[in-house]
Amino acid sequence: MRFKLLIVLVEDTKTEQIMNAAREAGATGATVVGDARGEGLNPKKTFFGLTLESQRDMVMFVVEEHLSRKILERVAEEAGFEENPGSGVAFQLNVEDAIGLGGQIMCLMDEVEERL
């Protein structure tokens, strides 16, 4: 079984919404790293040296490769990345090897068979 790592950078107010959308599309779990920062094409405005922007979370999903694109597209749709520039970004990377997914592999095998 091959896996992809989906990384989603999104406003912290949308984290639960993103996790639910990913789960509906086939993700079996997530890791959330809070308090991420970033800067796009146009730096955020400041007020007396304080940046006026919301907190970001980095949400990571290890998913079966056949489900990865569908999950990625569903997350992007839910977050409105294409309609709202600066609202976040999502991307996927190949996972060379993974340990600790034994409990999820049986569930993933059934999930992949159902969805393909």
Side-chain angles (χ1 to χ4, degrees), residues 41-109:
L41 288 174
N42 301 313
K44 298 289 183 180
K45 300 205 183 313
T46 61
F47 181 74
F48 292 115
L50 300 173
T51 305
L52 304 174
E53 61 184 30
S54 63
Q55 294 292 334
R56 300 268 176 176
D57 284 341
M58 178 171 51
V59 187
M60 298 180 286
F61 305 93
V62 176
V63 301
E64 205 283 330
E65 71 176 342
H66 292 97
L67 302 175
S68 65
R69 184 64 191 184
K70 181 179 178 184
I71 297 169
L72 188 68
E73 289 174 356
R74 180 67 186 101
V75 163
E77 177 186 322
E78 188 70 27
F81 291 156
E82 295 299 323
E83 298 83 28
N84 304 310
S87 61
V89 64
F91 55 93
Q92 64 181 340
L93 303 169
N94 290 325
V95 173
E96 180 69 28
D97 200 0
I99 297 175
L101 298 175
Q104 294 181 2
I105 287 179
M106 294 307 289
C107 176
L108 284 169
M109 287 173 61

Side-chain angles (χ1 to χ4, degrees), residues 30-42:
T31 299
V32 179
V33 178
D35 202 19
R37 291 183 350 151
E39 187 174 294
L41 288 174
N42 301 313

Side-chain angles (χ1 to χ4, degrees), residues 2-21:
R2 294 179 184 234
F3 297 97
K4 299 276 188 174
L5 172 65
L6 305 183
I7 299 177
V8 182
L9 301 167
V10 67
E11 292 178 14
D12 64 349
T13 58
K14 291 191 175 188
T15 299
E16 289 298 321
Q17 184 180 346
I18 294 303
M19 289 173 52
N20 290 335

